[in-house]
Amino acid sequence: MKKLYVVGIGPGSIENMTLKAYNVIKECDVIVGYTKYLDMIKEIIEGKELYSTGMRSEEERCRLAIKLAKEKDVAIISTGDAGIYGMAGLILELCNEEEIKNVVIVPGITASSAAGSIVGAPLMHDNCNISLSDLMTPYDEIKERVDFAAKSDFIISLYNPKSKGRPHYLKECIDIIRQYRDSKTPVAIVKHALREGQNSLVTTIDNIDYDLVDMMTIVIVGNSKSYIKDGQFITPRGYNTRC
Ligand code: SAH
């Protein structure tokens, strides 16, 4: 039995990958992942056995990776962190079923951290991630979490904010958050953070241009103390910065 690595490749540029993720990918014989993710790291996977297209579901891809890891070292890749809406959980669940113990999870920079670094320091206080994808979570549950997170004054990073099938969810969730936030609350809209095509905007909760948002975007909403200064989105930690 060889090793099965579940690797978070970070946002998608080689320089923002951890050294461990880089080394693991370099050393594995087989790489499994979406075509567009493989494409992001193509310069380091040349000549390896690649599995991407032709697999309908994530489960199918995970099962294939588990099977291949019986013979060779395999890396199955996610963007960002593999443990945040990535492949780590499903791999472990499937491996537990089969009592397979050769899994190693390699973390990466998740989208909220990547986006945060571009717009300033929005995540400096207690924060949470909420995915607006209703493929596996009922929309009512998502809205309830948004409500509780807003009520509890968390900074909220909205993953999977928009898709063709659910164009209105983002606005509906922002409307929930607005019940608890000032109209000037900072909002960051960051597309393709730290990879080719990067685009970012810092605005306020009342001025969001929803047309800018798509599935390649993350939306970060500040807490009640977040502010914008010289275009930077800052959430104070609470240090006394007055001299
Ligand atoms: N495992 C990933 C998240 C996968 S869910 C991670 O840890 O980052 C997919 C969603 O993540 C996208 O719809 C988008 O909202 C967000 N995302 C992932 N990479 C991104 C990037 N580079 N820039 C902006 N958003 C990104």
Side-chain angles (χ1 to χ4, degrees):
M1 175 80 49
K2 297 287 205 168
K3 285 242 182 318
L4 173 56
Y5 295 94
V6 192
V7 182
I9 61 166
S13 48
I14 303 293
E15 66 174 353
N16 285 302
M17 195 180 275
T18 66
L19 193 53
K20 176 150 185 192
Y22 183 90
N23 287 338
V24 161
I25 288 171
K26 279 281 206 187
E27 278 157 29
C28 280
D29 314 304
V30 182
I31 315 290
V32 181
Y34 275 125
T35 316
K36 63 178 183 184
Y37 299 166
L38 293 176
D39 219 43
M40 288 173 181
I41 55 166
K42 60 175 183 284
E43 56 205 271
I44 61 169
I45 55 175
E46 249 172 55
K48 294 183 185 289
E49 244 178 86
L50 306 178
Y51 293 87
S52 53
T53 49
M55 278 164 282
R56 275 165 290 134
S57 70
E58 289 173 341
E59 184 174 333
E60 200 178 338
R61 208 166 29 245
C62 285
R63 285 193 191 280
L64 175 69
I66 292 167
K67 192 170 134 212
L68 292 166
K70 289 178 180 149
E71 308 289 334
K72 292 174 178 172
D73 282 337
V74 175
I76 180 165
I77 61 167
S78 293
T79 58
D81 188 300
I84 299 179
Y85 313 123
M87 291 292 115
L90 181 53
I91 286 282
L92 288 181
E93 285 181 66
L94 293 172
C95 285
N96 284 343
E97 273 173 23
E98 297 181 37
E99 297 218 10
I100 293 173
K101 306 274 180 227
N102 61 336
V103 180
V104 179
I105 317 278
V106 182
I109 300 177
T110 192
S112 61
S113 300
S117 73
I118 294 162
V119 298
L123 307 178
M124 276 300 293
H125 218 295
D126 302 333
N127 62 91
C128 67
N129 302 328
I130 300 180
S131 166
L132 299 194
S133 168
D134 61 357
L135 286 179
M136 274 168 285
T137 308
Y139 186 40
D140 281 344
E141 222 168 275
I142 295 172
K143 284 192 287 187
E144 199 175 15
R145 285 188 186 153
V146 169
D147 189 88
F148 279 119
K151 198 175 185 174
S152 309
D153 208 21
F154 283 105
I155 302 137
I156 305 171
S157 298
L158 296 168
Y159 283 66
N160 300 301
K162 202 175 183 185
S163 75
K164 287 201 183 85
R166 44 181 178 81
H168 306 300
Y169 283 17
L170 177 63
K171 176 153 191 327
E172 286 167 6
C173 288
I174 293 287
D175 285 343
I176 294 173
I177 299 171
R178 281 168 62 165
Q179 296 176 318
Y180 306 96
R181 296 284 201 283
D182 190 271
S183 61
K184 293 199 170 47
T185 303
V187 172
I189 299 173
V190 185
K191 186 169 178 174
H192 289 304
L194 300 185
R195 66 184 180 220
E196 215 184 302
Q198 177 180 305
N199 214 326
S200 68
L201 177 78
V202 175
T203 182
T204 58
I205 205 163
D206 268 5
N207 286 305
I208 299 173
D209 178 353
Y210 290 94
D211 290 339
L212 293 179
V213 179
D214 61 14
M215 277 301 273
M216 299 296 119
T217 310
I218 186 161
V219 176
I220 304 177
V221 184
N223 71 10
S224 60
K225 299 204 173 58
S226 305
Y227 62 90
I228 302 170
K229 181 83 196 321
D230 297 335
Q232 288 194 313
F233 178 164
I234 300 169
T235 301
R237 178 80 200 280
Y239 297 105
N240 184 0
T241 50
R242 275 186 227 142
C243 298

